């Protein structure tokens, strides 16, 4: 089963890269520790945090929690990948904004939503099925 993650506000860049690599994440940059723990409830998500206090409380409540190692986004992403056996293949599988699935779109379909120089430089485009953002 592919893991899903709840990422705390301290790891926004890690959240973005997990989404780019196709993994389901939930992120809130301003949620309190209690709100994060409440969001987990009985859902099968892994909490990713750098907060030692939040990590201890999550473990006390029986939540699967992981503190990614490293000081850069790349090191943290590699740490999570090693821990959970993730394949890191950034194929723009999920929207970096909302985490929705991306679907291929034609140049015509995204022409009003991407810069002209991007339309001229690229042949492949995607649109988020959740929020509509064009890539």
């Amino acid at each position: 089963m592919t893991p899903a993650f709840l990422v705390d506000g301290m790891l926004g860049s890690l959240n973005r890269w997990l989404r780019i690599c196709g993994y389901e994440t939930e992120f809130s940059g301003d949620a309190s520790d209690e709100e994060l723990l409440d969001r987990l409830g009985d859902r099968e998500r892994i909490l990713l945090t750098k907060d030692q206090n939040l990590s201890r409380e999550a473990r006390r409540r029986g939540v699967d929690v992981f503190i990614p190692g490293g000081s850069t986004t790349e090191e943290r992403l590699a740490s999570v990948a090693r821990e959970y056996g993730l394949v890191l293949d950034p194929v723009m599988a999920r929207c970096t904004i909302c985490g929705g699935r991306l679907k291929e779109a034609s140049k015509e379909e995204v022409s009003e939503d991407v810069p002209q120089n991007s339309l001229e430089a690229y042949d492949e485009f995607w649109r988020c099925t959740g929020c509509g953002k064009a890539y």
Side-chain angles (χ1 to χ4, degrees), residues 14-133:
L14 175 62
N15 178 70
R16 186 175 312 109
W17 277 102
L18 285 167
R19 285 181 175 172
I20 287 171
C21 290
Y23 294 96
E24 184 180 339
T25 67
E26 183 179 336
F27 177 77
S28 177
D30 58 1
S32 70
D33 289 0
E34 196 60 38
E35 288 172 321
L36 288 171
L37 292 169
D38 286 347
R39 282 186 190 173
L40 287 164
D42 60 353
R43 295 168 59 201
E44 293 185 24
R45 287 190 183 265
I46 299 159
L47 175 62
L48 300 178
T49 183
K50 294 292 287 178
D51 184 330
Q52 296 288 336
N53 291 330
L54 175 57
S55 175
R56 277 191 293 277
E57 181 60 21
R59 283 190 177 99
R60 190 184 72 70
R61 295 184 188 193
V63 170
D64 189 359
V65 61
F66 182 68
I67 298 176
S71 58
T72 66
T73 300
E74 293 83 7
E75 292 169 339
R76 291 174 181 151
L77 182 60
S79 174
V80 173
R82 278 190 304 275
E83 180 71 16
Y84 296 100
L86 306 183
V87 175
L88 301 179
D89 185 14
V91 294
M92 298 297 287
R94 288 193 179 265
C95 177
T96 60
I97 305 300
C98 76
R101 289 278 182 200
L102 300 183
K103 107 178 189 189
E104 274 194 74
S106 69
K107 281 187 180 189
E108 294 75 28
E109 291 172 321
V110 299
S111 64
E112 294 183 19
D113 300 320
V114 298
Q116 184 62 38
N117 59 343
S118 293
L119 287 172
E120 293 168 5
Y122 301 102
D123 292 320
E124 295 180 1
F125 296 91
W126 298 270
R127 184 170 302 279
C128 175
T129 58
C131 69
K133 179 171 175 55

